Amino acid sequence: MKRTLMGLTLALSALPVSVLADCLSGSDVAKNSTVTLYEQVSLVKKQISDWRIAGRNPYTRHNIYNDAGVNLTSRCAVVDNALDLDLSLYGLTWYSPRKLGAFEEDDSRSQLLIERLRLIYAVSDSVQLEVGKLQAKPGLFFLRSPSDLTPHYYAGSKPTRLYDPALRTAYQSSSWAATLSMDNRDESFSLTVIPKLATIGKDYLTSGNWSANQRGNSSEAWLLSYTSHAFRHHTPGMRILLGESQSIAVSDSYHYTPQLTLNAEMAWHREQRWRHLSEEKSAEVQNYAFPSSLYDAGDKNGVELAVGGQYTSDEFNVFGLEYYYQSEGYSRSEWRKQRELMTFLNTPTGYAPLDRAFDSYKYLMASEISNTGNKGMLQGKHYLNAWSSVQFTHQIALQPYFILNLMDKSTMAGLHISAPLTFIDDQLEAYTGVYSALGSANSEFAFFGDVAGGYVGFKYYL
């Protein structure tokens, strides 16, 4: 499969240099490209965590972060009506005036990310081939979509995220892949091939410190997708994942009225999709044995389910409510065992080499839990999510959201506001927001301590 993808890429890249130059230089690139500058300042306040590294809190309790970024997007015709080039590149950097804690340190404060880099070949009016770095198509849900069978790890820095006015990270991870798709009035079908180009060998590092291939191409996958448009009120779909992991997902979007849409997705997985704490390895540590890892992914079958709806008013305000369930999430007793292991590791032994070894295990636990979230996964079983997008005059948008873990009652909530600053410059857009993660010390969203934060940012379109 890797040879096939490489051959397709080389074949498409072997076009005459003069043809590519017309696409990537001069008036054509100026007409079809957009450069966006980002600037964001955020303030984060964290309660003292029960975690300790060398006897110290692993998080800076109060900190300020300054993010800056530049995004270049472009799409142009390499061959008219036959072959297009589409790209999105990010340059990102951040700075904090205060020293970071052990759980916040990153390998680099600046990075270059390829979000999208694809060649699109029109085989016919209804068939096209895409080759390059491709973004996965999202599912129907705001919180977590079971039909998202090829999730990507977060690509940004650990302590901070650059937000977009659409209430998401400005940059999205992607994979080197090839997609052959067919679309007509009644149905859509696609086959995506994702080769394995790297292996994740250091799970104890945050995903932002991995290579791009580790985040997006660490497993071989074949994804078949089908969507029917033949029904008046329903849009059913199916996705099948083959390769190193096997899954099947079905979905339906039911337009009950022009304003009310009801969504449902369900997925079955042959094995666990994220690594879980091993009870055997946890027991070994508490018996003063030292396994190389505390987490693994079993071959247990898993089921995901999401149901919900969204209502759109006459003024195009959107209100959504969703329920999400995953069978492989931690039960109350399993989550409690993680807490008990952390408490054991926090107990000083008075023997420096053993205390350092326990600190290493605490760091490993924190990285595993963090990377589960970086992959878009959740730790528990049952969740309720409410969100909305309310439009005001002058294109001001207000977007509140609320996520509740129904088992431990911990919450994540936030409010995001965006507005164009046309009275200063037609190309300037501003956004701001506040958020919090609250719960008991044994809960998912407050496992590392309660968090509250705020941010303000600007986007400028050159």
Side-chain angles (χ1 to χ4, degrees):
M1 176 168 43
K2 190 187 303 183
R3 291 181 178 177
T4 302
L5 179 58
M6 186 176 297
L8 287 168
T9 305
L10 290 174
L12 290 170
S13 63
L15 291 162
V17 176
S18 60
V19 175
L20 290 175
D22 290 339
C23 179
L24 298 177
S25 65
S27 60
D28 196 57
V29 69
K31 180 177 64 175
N32 297 296
S33 298
T34 300
V35 177
T36 306
L37 303 180
Y38 291 84
E39 173 63 27
Q40 176 181 296
V41 177
S42 54
L43 172 65
V44 179
K45 179 181 179 180
K46 299 185 178 182
Q47 296 298 321
I48 296 177
S49 172
D50 288 341
W51 297 76
R52 291 290 184 269
I53 298 294
R56 298 180 178 179
N57 188 22
Y59 293 100
T60 304
R61 289 196 62 194
H62 310 283
N63 215 342
I64 298 174
Y65 302 98
N66 182 58
D67 288 272
V70 58
N71 171 228
L72 169 64
T73 61
S74 180
R75 178 158 182 165
C76 57
V78 179
V79 178
D80 288 340
N81 302 317
L83 183 64
D84 289 352
L85 173 66
D86 178 34
L87 62 86
S88 175
L89 309 176
Y90 277 91
L92 304 169
T93 188
W94 65 274
Y95 170 76
S96 174
R98 297 184 180 180
K99 185 178 179 180
L100 301 178
F103 286 174
E104 300 173 304
E105 294 176 350
D106 260 326
D107 287 348
S108 174
R109 296 199 176 198
S110 299
Q111 54 184 318
L112 177 65
L113 300 174
I114 303 175
E115 181 183 49
R116 186 175 66 254
L117 179 59
R118 58 180 182 151
L119 286 165
I120 309 160
Y121 175 61
V123 179
S124 67
D125 291 341
S126 60
V127 179
Q128 73 174 22
L129 173 66
E130 301 175 59
V131 177
K133 201 163 182 63
L134 310 180
Q135 293 175 279
K137 293 183 179 180
L140 300 173
F141 291 90
F142 182 93
L143 178 61
R144 162 87 193 125
S145 286
S147 64
D148 182 7
L149 300 182
T150 56
H152 296 94
Y153 286 94
Y154 172 60
S157 301
K158 186 192 295 185
T160 182
R161 297 193 178 200
L162 185 62
Y163 290 94
D164 183 88
L167 191 53
R168 64 180 180 91
T169 37
Y171 41 89
Q172 305 295 307
S173 297
S174 53
S175 301
W176 294 105
T179 296
L180 182 65
S181 60
M182 183 276 293
D183 293 281
N184 58 42
R185 199 176 86 175
D186 294 327
E187 58 189 356
S188 300
F189 177 83
S190 69
L191 169 63
T192 298
V193 181
I194 303 175
K196 182 175 181 177
L197 303 177
T199 300
I200 300 174
K202 297 181 178 180
D203 297 276
Y204 55 85
L205 293 179
T206 182
S207 62
N209 289 333
W210 298 348
S211 69
N213 285 340
Q214 287 176 317
R215 289 191 297 267
N217 290 88
S218 58
S219 62
E220 181 179 299
W222 301 70
L223 179 64
L224 295 94
S225 301
Y226 174 80
T227 303
S228 174
H229 308 290
F231 302 96
R232 181 178 179 182
H233 297 294
H234 290 269
T235 309
M238 175 180 290
R239 294 183 185 180
I240 300 174
L241 179 68
L242 302 173
E244 295 182 23
S245 300
Q246 292 85 48
S247 302
I248 182 170
V250 292
S251 64
D252 186 27
S253 183
Y254 173 44
H255 301 281
Y256 182 72
T257 69
Q259 293 178 304
L260 179 62
T261 301
L262 304 176
N263 300 315
E265 291 185 355
M266 184 172 66
W268 174 88
H269 310 290
R270 191 188 67 80
E271 59 185 10
Q272 291 180 336
R273 308 200 75 201
W274 45 277
R275 290 158 55 96
H276 294 63
L277 179 67
S278 167
E279 293 186 22
E280 293 79 10
K281 294 176 181 178
S282 176
E284 287 181 23
V285 172
Q286 296 180 67
N287 288 320
Y288 298 97
F290 299 97
S292 59
S293 175
L294 296 175
Y295 291 78
D296 54 34
D299 58 1
K300 300 178 181 178
N301 295 341
V303 175
E304 286 183 282
L305 172 68
V307 293
Q310 61 184 53
Y311 176 81
T312 304
S313 71
D314 293 336
E315 293 76 26
F316 298 102
N317 299 319
V318 183
F319 304 90
L321 182 65
E322 304 170 350
Y323 166 77
Y324 171 74
Y325 164 79
Q326 60 173 349
S327 63
E328 71 172 291
Y330 285 118
S331 65
R332 286 186 177 90
S333 61
E334 290 171 333
W335 186 252
R336 186 178 65 250
K337 289 175 182 178
Q338 283 208 97
R339 172 75 182 189
E340 292 171 350
L341 177 57
M342 186 200 72
T343 302
F344 172 81
L345 296 174
N346 268 339
T347 304
T349 66
Y351 182 53
L354 186 57
D355 287 338
R356 287 196 294 269
F358 284 175
D359 281 344
S360 296
Y361 279 119
K362 283 183 282 186
Y363 186 91
L364 185 150
M365 290 179 66
S367 294
E368 285 282 355
I369 294 170
S370 176
N371 282 335
T372 299
N374 287 347
K375 196 179 181 181
M377 303 298 183
L378 296 156
Q379 299 279 326
K381 287 182 177 289
H382 302 274
Y383 296 87
L384 190 66
N385 175 41
W387 58 275
S388 65
S389 178
V390 181
Q391 308 295 319
F392 295 95
T393 57
H394 308 295
Q395 297 182 324
I396 298 174
L398 185 147
Q399 297 166 297
Y401 59 94
F402 177 81
I403 302 167
L404 171 65
N405 182 318
L406 293 171
M407 293 181 63
D408 62 30
K409 303 304 186 291
S410 62
T411 62
M412 181 175 292
L415 175 64
H416 185 90
I417 304 171
S418 61
L421 300 182
T422 53
F423 63 92
I424 298 176
D425 193 305
D426 290 342
Q427 308 301 110
L428 184 63
E429 187 171 15
Y431 59 94
T432 185
V434 292
Y435 61 90
S436 67
L438 305 172
S440 68
N442 192 34
S443 65
E444 175 179 5
F445 293 130
F447 196 49
F448 300 109
D450 291 338
V451 177
Y455 54 89
V456 60
F458 301 91
K459 291 176 65 176
Y460 188 76
Y461 303 92
L462 295 179

